[in-house]
Amino acid sequence: MEQFSNFTYIKQIPIELMQDKFNMSYRIKCLLEEHINLSNYGVAVRHIFISPLIGEVFIPESIYSASEKKLEVQFLINPDQAVAVSEAQFFRIMLEGFLQAMEEMELPYGFNFKVFRKDVEALQFAQLKQAA
């Protein structure tokens, strides 16, 4: 069973300006699948859908579906910042945005976010190169 999925929304940024950062959410998804097993954090979450919104797309909404044991985590990224930073900095911005959005939403009882956050924060950009 796939534990993570992703979809990035980008508005009003030419793809060529994003260069290697364009598929960052997919690469992070691969890294999470390689290093994070959701069953280690309880039984309440079996799937996380990561959805960064780059630019004024729509208001992010992160939700939990108890019947599917699925989190959909949407978060905003400033488009100017997305273009200006290095690939390694963008990796960190993506992870921080993802974790911040999770922290702000109502997470289900039985999901150990504290340990999940620690494990995700320990991921390194160098590992991302291996996962992609």
Side-chain angles (χ1 to χ4, degrees):
M1 178 176 122
E2 185 178 42
Q3 296 186 79
F4 297 92
S5 58
N6 73 293
F7 191 84
T8 303
Y9 297 87
I10 300 176
K11 184 173 181 184
Q12 298 176 343
I13 301 175
I15 298 303
E16 60 272 8
L17 291 179
M18 291 295 290
Q19 300 172 5
D20 292 335
K21 297 175 275 189
F22 173 71
N23 69 351
M24 185 64 73
S25 67
Y26 172 75
R27 294 166 65 199
I28 288 175
K29 173 195 94 77
C30 293
L31 182 64
L32 290 169
E33 286 176 345
E34 185 177 317
H35 294 280
I36 303 291
N37 184 339
L38 289 176
S39 64
N40 292 342
Y41 311 102
V43 297
V45 176
R46 292 286 164 240
H47 186 88
I48 297 178
F49 182 74
I50 303 165
S51 188
L53 312 174
I54 303 173
E56 297 278 330
V57 181
F58 48 82
I59 297 172
E61 181 182 13
S62 296
I63 57 173
Y64 172 67
S65 168
S67 63
E68 297 176 295
K69 296 186 176 188
K70 177 181 176 181
L71 289 175
E72 181 171 347
V73 184
Q74 296 179 353
F75 54 96
L76 289 173
I77 295 179
N78 179 305
D80 295 328
Q81 187 179 30
V83 170
V85 298
S86 71
E87 192 178 0
Q89 291 168 322
F90 190 63
F91 167 77
R92 193 51 51 194
I93 289 168
M94 291 276 288
L95 283 186
E96 290 170 3
F98 168 58
L99 291 171
Q100 182 67 35
M102 287 185 74
E103 191 170 275
E104 291 172 0
M105 70 185 292
E106 187 174 331
L107 292 170
Y109 177 79
F111 179 71
N112 191 336
F113 178 69
K114 184 177 180 180
V115 175
F116 176 81
R117 178 183 196 99
K118 181 179 158 252
D119 291 347
V120 170
E121 286 176 335
L123 297 174
Q124 300 296 314
F125 181 68
Q127 295 171 303
L128 181 76
K129 297 273 189 199
Q130 296 167 7

